[in-house]
PDB file of all heavy atoms in Angstrom:
ATOM      1  N   HIS A 795      87.103 102.139 104.762  1.00 98.00           N
ATOM      2  CA  HIS A 795      86.744 103.254 105.641  1.00 98.00           C
ATOM      3  C   HIS A 795      86.056 104.321 104.789  1.00 98.00           C
ATOM      4  O   HIS A 795      86.672 104.865 103.862  1.00 98.00           O
ATOM      5  CB  HIS A 795      87.999 103.827 106.323  1.00 98.00           C
ATOM      6  CG  HIS A 795      88.573 102.897 107.346  1.00 98.00           C
ATOM      7  ND1 HIS A 795      89.931 102.716 107.525  1.00 98.00           N
ATOM      8  CD2 HIS A 795      87.955 102.096 108.244  1.00 98.00           C
ATOM      9  CE1 HIS A 795      90.116 101.831 108.497  1.00 98.00           C
ATOM     10  NE2 HIS A 795      88.938 101.438 108.949  1.00 98.00           N
ATOM     11  N   GLU A 798      87.560 107.549 103.612  1.00 98.00           N
ATOM     12  CA  GLU A 798      88.841 107.449 102.893  1.00 98.00           C
ATOM     13  C   GLU A 798      88.499 106.898 101.510  1.00 98.00           C
ATOM     14  O   GLU A 798      88.666 105.716 101.248  1.00 98.00           O
ATOM     15  CB  GLU A 798      89.779 106.493 103.634  1.00 98.00           C
ATOM     16  CG  GLU A 798      90.072 106.922 105.069  1.00 98.00           C
ATOM     17  CD  GLU A 798      90.804 105.842 105.874  1.00 98.00           C
ATOM     18  OE1 GLU A 798      91.238 104.836 105.290  1.00 98.00           O
ATOM     19  OE2 GLU A 798      90.927 106.028 107.096  1.00 98.00           O
ATOM     20  N   ARG A 835      83.824 106.866 108.754  1.00 97.00           N
ATOM     21  CA  ARG A 835      84.735 105.718 108.785  1.00 97.00           C
ATOM     22  C   ARG A 835      83.990 104.381 108.861  1.00 97.00           C
ATOM     23  O   ARG A 835      84.253 103.465 108.089  1.00 97.00           O
ATOM     24  CB  ARG A 835      85.663 105.873 110.004  1.00 97.00           C
ATOM     25  CG  ARG A 835      86.675 104.754 110.152  1.00 97.00           C
ATOM     26  CD  ARG A 835      87.550 105.021 111.376  1.00 97.00           C
ATOM     27  NE  ARG A 835      88.472 103.933 111.650  1.00 97.00           N
ATOM     28  CZ  ARG A 835      89.744 103.896 111.207  1.00 97.00           C
ATOM     29  NH1 ARG A 835      90.228 104.871 110.489  1.00 97.00           N
ATOM     30  NH2 ARG A 835      90.529 102.883 111.518  1.00 97.00           N
ATOM     31  N   ASN A 844      87.275  97.456 109.216  1.00 97.00           N
ATOM     32  CA  ASN A 844      88.662  96.980 109.164  1.00 97.00           C
ATOM     33  C   ASN A 844      89.177  96.561 110.541  1.00 97.00           C
ATOM     34  O   ASN A 844      90.371  96.350 110.728  1.00 97.00           O
ATOM     35  CB  ASN A 844      89.571  98.037 108.540  1.00 97.00           C
ATOM     36  CG  ASN A 844      90.752  97.417 107.809  1.00 97.00           C
ATOM     37  OD1 ASN A 844      90.624  96.366 107.186  1.00 97.00           O
ATOM     38  ND2 ASN A 844      91.906  98.061 107.905  1.00 97.00           N
ATOM     39  N   TYR A 891      92.618  99.902  99.487  1.00 98.00           N
ATOM     40  CA  TYR A 891      93.072 101.290  99.594  1.00 98.00           C
ATOM     41  C   TYR A 891      92.552 101.947 100.861  1.00 98.00           C
ATOM     42  O   TYR A 891      91.401 101.768 101.262  1.00 98.00           O
ATOM     43  CB  TYR A 891      92.620 102.104  98.371  1.00 98.00           C
ATOM     44  CG  TYR A 891      93.303 101.624  97.127  1.00 98.00           C
ATOM     45  CD1 TYR A 891      92.646 100.787  96.235  1.00 98.00           C
ATOM     46  CD2 TYR A 891      94.634 101.954  96.883  1.00 98.00           C
ATOM     47  CE1 TYR A 891      93.292 100.305  95.098  1.00 98.00           C
ATOM     48  CE2 TYR A 891      95.287 101.473  95.759  1.00 98.00           C
ATOM     49  CZ  TYR A 891      94.611 100.649  94.875  1.00 98.00           C
ATOM     50  OH  TYR A 891      95.267 100.161  93.770  1.00 98.00           O
ATOM     51  N   HIS A 892      93.461 102.712 101.480  1.00 97.00           N
ATOM     52  CA  HIS A 892      93.132 103.547 102.635  1.00 97.00           C
ATOM     53  C   HIS A 892      93.797 104.899 102.424  1.00 97.00           C
ATOM     54  O   HIS A 892      94.515 105.118 101.457  1.00 97.00           O
ATOM     55  CB  HIS A 892      93.664 102.917 103.937  1.00 97.00           C
ATOM     56  CG  HIS A 892      92.900 101.706 104.382  1.00 97.00           C
ATOM     57  ND1 HIS A 892      91.913 101.765 105.333  1.00 97.00           N
ATOM     58  CD2 HIS A 892      92.992 100.414 104.010  1.00 97.00           C
ATOM     59  CE1 HIS A 892      91.420 100.544 105.525  1.00 97.00           C
ATOM     60  NE2 HIS A 892      92.059  99.701 104.730  1.00 97.00           N
ATOM     61  N   GLN A 893      93.551 105.797 103.355  1.00 97.00           N
ATOM     62  CA  GLN A 893      94.195 107.112 103.386  1.00 97.00           C
ATOM     63  C   GLN A 893      94.479 107.439 104.853  1.00 97.00           C
ATOM     64  O   GLN A 893      93.819 106.913 105.744  1.00 97.00           O
ATOM     65  CB  GLN A 893      93.243 108.178 102.841  1.00 97.00           C
ATOM     66  CG  GLN A 893      93.132 108.220 101.313  1.00 97.00           C
ATOM     67  CD  GLN A 893      92.060 109.166 100.865  1.00 97.00           C
ATOM     68  OE1 GLN A 893      90.885 108.814 100.805  1.00 97.00           O
ATOM     69  NE2 GLN A 893      92.451 110.407 100.600  1.00 97.00           N
ATOM     70  N   GLU A 949      98.198 102.814 101.457  1.00 97.00           N
ATOM     71  CA  GLU A 949      97.776 104.057 102.105  1.00 97.00           C
ATOM     72  C   GLU A 949      98.069 105.196 101.138  1.00 97.00           C
ATOM     73  O   GLU A 949      99.229 105.554 100.923  1.00 97.00           O
ATOM     74  CB  GLU A 949      98.542 104.266 103.415  1.00 97.00           C
ATOM     75  CG  GLU A 949      98.008 103.474 104.582  1.00 97.00           C
ATOM     76  CD  GLU A 949      96.841 104.158 105.307  1.00 97.00           C
ATOM     77  OE1 GLU A 949      96.492 105.315 104.959  1.00 97.00           O
ATOM     78  OE2 GLU A 949      96.276 103.528 106.222  1.00 97.00           O
TER      79      GLU A 949
HETATM   80 ZN1   ZN B 255      91.683 103.333 106.674  1.00 88.07          ZN
END
Side-chain angles (χ1 to χ4, degrees):
H795 290 141
E798 301 170 9
R835 181 179 175 94
N844 210 37
Y891 294 101
H892 288 262
Q893 282 173 276
E949 280 276 355

